[in-house]
Amino acid sequence: MTGGAPRRRALAYAAAGIAALVAASGCARLLTRPARVATHDATAIIAAGAARERALAGLRLTLSVRATAGPPAARLAAPAYLAIDDADHLRLQVLSPFGPTVLDLATDADAFTLRLPMRGETRRGAIDVAALAAGTTPEDERMIVALALLFRPKMDRRRCRAAGPAAVNCALAADLTVTTTVDAALRPTREDFLGPGGRPLFTAVFEDYGGAAGSALPGRITISGDGGDGALVIRVVKARRPGESAA
């Protein structure tokens, strides 16, 4: 294995930070009825989104992650575990398909620590949203920053505005916004993170929700960058909320 392959695999795995998205079906029907577009007031979207964000604290997720590009090892589905203590403190551990831990990522506010045990390497860096918006985030840290942003609070009526019949656009920082689109149950189906002038930075798509309730978690997620050169696909195997048994 080349020296760069583990780092690219680490980048791919680090994107695995949340709850979920559905795989596309692989074949399209010749005749389909157009999907009915839900219409929601921006106030309702913001209120439902804020409630979902608060409910993430203390969540524990068992995941399966794989990349759609990169070295062959990164394209194998690998088990992973994500602990969300709060918006500033995440812990992601990714195992190889054969058992050993290959990646251990922890965030602490605007800082992160990435350990690669199989290489005996530890890296520390910053979750710098200004650098992300400017396009100067190092390539092998972009997905780490993306993971952190997925769990940052977004929904606030003071910085969000309507962006269509079922979407709101929220300012996260100078020159950085996110447009969140929701379904009929006010659950997010897509988040588009945008830089200056609406330049795409990365996108997260959520589907396969486990139930019809507005509080249901998605079953899979796809995170893709603006380069169109592959994506991270995450499947949620198990979710445990605070107070629930580990069994």
Side-chain angles (χ1 to χ4, degrees), residues 19-175:
L21 155 102
V22 111
S25 77
C27 62
R29 298 178 181 177
L30 293 178
L31 297 175
T32 59
R33 293 185 178 182
R36 185 176 180 180
V37 177
T39 300
H40 297 291
D41 181 78
T43 302
I45 297 175
I46 294 166
R52 290 180 65 87
E53 290 171 352
R54 290 192 296 270
L56 291 175
L59 192 63
R60 300 292 186 264
L61 299 173
T62 301
L63 309 171
S64 173
V65 302
R66 68 176 180 86
T68 62
R75 297 197 297 268
L76 294 174
Y81 304 93
L82 178 65
I84 307 169
D85 291 333
D86 54 45
D88 287 332
H89 298 90
L90 312 176
R91 177 80 179 274
L92 174 69
Q93 293 177 293
V94 180
L95 282 62
S96 82
F98 313 105
T101 299
V102 297
L103 178 149
D104 190 336
L105 172 70
T107 69
D108 183 359
D110 289 332
F112 72 82
T113 301
L114 176 66
R115 296 184 175 88
L116 305 174
M118 296 180 70
R119 297 183 60 186
E121 181 179 336
T122 298
R123 297 174 54 197
R124 292 177 174 83
I127 299 166
D128 188 340
V129 295
L132 178 70
T136 58
T137 302
E139 181 181 354
D140 58 353
E141 294 182 9
R142 283 173 57 84
M143 282 299 185
I144 296 175
V145 177
L147 172 64
L149 289 181
L150 286 173
F151 295 98
R152 293 284 176 93
K154 308 173 184 70
M155 296 295 178
D156 187 324
R157 62 183 181 180
R158 295 168 296 183
R159 49 191 173 91
C160 297
R161 57 180 175 80
V168 293
N169 182 270
C170 302
L172 300 183
D175 294 327

Side-chain angles (χ1 to χ4, degrees), residues 166-191:
V168 293
N169 182 270
C170 302
L172 300 183
D175 294 327
L176 179 64
T177 65
V178 57
T179 298
T180 301
T181 304
V182 301
D183 62 12
L186 292 168
R187 302 171 304 197
T189 59
R190 183 182 180 98
E191 290 184 344

